[in-house]
């Protein structure tokens, strides 16, 4: 079984291949730890997630504010509750579903804060949301490492903000990295669950890592070209 440490390190390395924004790197890191909430020993956390979603939903409904964030959190909790380990949440359909749900929480959350406060710094606003998200999905050991490094990185690697596309892409990369790494285990993963019980193993993982490396090189071609041109001149 791949440990949370292995998933976190692998996702962090992948994030560095694609992103320079600390928010995107952090979301990739968090995303890699999301699928394993289908573990039985994390049921207590799933219950807390459902209760949190209900509290958020009721509070926003009473205040006559957009309450969809609460419903999405409840949806996540219910999804983990009914998912067998390494089934739906470890499939390509699960990755797409979880990416969409968590991305919506961040996007709607930022829009809600923007609507009810006078905070003009959207970058700082999103950083706070990412930090809150880490409390939801990272265990205590990871939090002790993640939070200090995250806030330090905000000053070392300053960025003007993060686009919705970057939010989705970074979360997808983190979630996808999890199932890629789990394909190297003897049990494999049901890549198309719940539609099919077909399993894939390390050959799938190796091919995906190769494709990710190629994608990273292609992504950086414009940057490398600019560096080459500036060097020539």
């Amino acid at each position: 079984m791949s440990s949370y440490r292995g998933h976190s390190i692998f996702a962090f390395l992948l994030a560095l291949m694609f992103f320079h924004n600390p928010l995107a790197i952090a979301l990739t890191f968090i995303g890699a730890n999301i699928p394993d909430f289908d573990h039985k020993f994390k049921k207590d956390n799933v219950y807390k997630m459902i209760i949190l979603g209900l509290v958020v939903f009721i509070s926003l409904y009473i205040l006559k504010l957009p309450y969809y964030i609460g419903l999405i959190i409840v949806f996540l909790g219910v999804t983990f509750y009914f998912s067998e380990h390494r089934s739906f949440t470890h499939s390509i359909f699960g990755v797409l579903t979880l990416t969409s749900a968590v991305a919506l929480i961040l996007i709607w959350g930022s829009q809600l804060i923007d609507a009810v406060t006078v905070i003009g710094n959207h970058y700082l606003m999103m950083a706070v949301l990412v930090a809150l998200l880490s409390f939801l999905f990272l265990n205590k050991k990871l939090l002790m490492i993640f939070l200090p490094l995250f806030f330090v990185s905000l000053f070392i690697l300053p960025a003007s903000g993060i686009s919705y596309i970057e939010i989705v892409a970074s979360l997808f990369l983190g979630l996808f990295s999890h199932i890629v790494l789990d394909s190297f285990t003897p049990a494999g993963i049901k890549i198309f669950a719940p539609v099919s019980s077909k399993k894939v193993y390390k050959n799938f993982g190796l091919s995906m890592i190769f494709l990710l490396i190629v994608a990273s090189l292609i992504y950086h071609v414009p940057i490398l070209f600019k560096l080459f041109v500036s060097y020539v001149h």
Side-chain angles (χ1 to χ4, degrees):
M1 180 189 299
S2 299
S3 69
Y4 67 88
R5 296 184 185 89
H7 285 299
S8 300
I9 294 171
F10 183 56
F12 179 71
L13 294 176
L14 285 179
L16 294 179
M17 290 168 54
F18 287 93
F19 307 115
H20 305 287
N21 188 324
L23 296 181
I25 295 172
L27 286 176
T28 305
F29 185 90
I30 294 171
N33 288 275
I34 293 177
D36 276 347
F37 264 70
D38 60 4
H39 262 300
K40 288 184 178 179
F41 68 80
K42 288 191 175 182
K43 288 299 183 185
D44 287 344
N45 292 330
V46 171
Y47 295 143
K48 292 176 183 177
M49 190 181 298
I50 294 174
I51 293 172
L52 173 64
L54 290 173
V55 170
V56 171
F57 165 72
I58 294 171
S59 300
L60 293 177
Y61 182 82
I62 293 174
L63 294 172
K64 295 183 179 181
L65 294 171
Y67 48 80
Y68 310 113
I69 300 174
L71 294 179
I72 290 292
I73 297 174
V74 172
F75 168 77
L76 279 174
V78 172
T79 299
F80 290 125
Y81 181 82
F82 286 105
S83 295
E84 295 181 1
H85 183 47
R86 288 195 182 171
S87 185
F88 176 70
T89 61
H90 287 63
S91 71
I92 191 63
F93 300 118
V95 167
L96 292 172
T97 300
L98 295 174
T99 297
S100 301
V102 178
L104 285 175
I105 290 174
L106 289 171
I107 294 170
W108 286 345
S110 65
Q111 291 175 349
L112 176 63
I113 294 174
D114 191 44
V116 300
T117 67
V118 293
I119 299 176
N121 192 328
H122 295 281
Y123 181 70
L124 177 61
M125 185 192 311
M126 188 58 69
V128 172
L129 288 173
V130 171
L132 291 175
L133 193 69
S134 69
F135 281 97
L136 192 61
F137 290 114
L138 300 183
N139 62 39
K140 293 179 180 179
K141 292 181 179 179
L142 279 179
L143 273 175
M144 293 175 63
I145 300 172
F146 171 82
L147 288 176
L149 291 178
F150 174 59
F151 285 113
V152 168
S153 70
L154 296 178
F155 296 98
I156 297 177
L157 302 170
S160 58
I162 183 170
S163 67
Y164 292 164
I165 294 176
E166 285 179 305
I167 290 174
V168 173
S170 54
L171 284 170
F172 176 84
L173 181 62
L175 284 153
F176 187 66
S177 74
H178 188 107
I179 67 173
V180 168
L181 205 58
D182 273 358
S183 68
F184 286 91
T185 61
I189 56 167
K190 299 176 182 178
I191 189 64
F192 296 117
V195 176
S196 170
S197 59
K198 175 181 173 59
K199 288 188 174 184
V200 293
Y201 300 90
K202 65 179 182 180
N203 287 339
F204 168 82
L206 290 171
S207 62
M208 290 301 103
I209 290 175
F210 174 76
L211 288 176
L212 287 169
I213 292 173
V214 172
S216 176
L217 292 174
I218 294 173
Y219 176 75
H220 285 94
V221 163
I223 299 174
L224 295 174
F225 181 74
K226 287 181 180 179
L227 290 175
F228 175 75
V229 172
S230 62
Y231 175 77
V232 171
H233 288 290

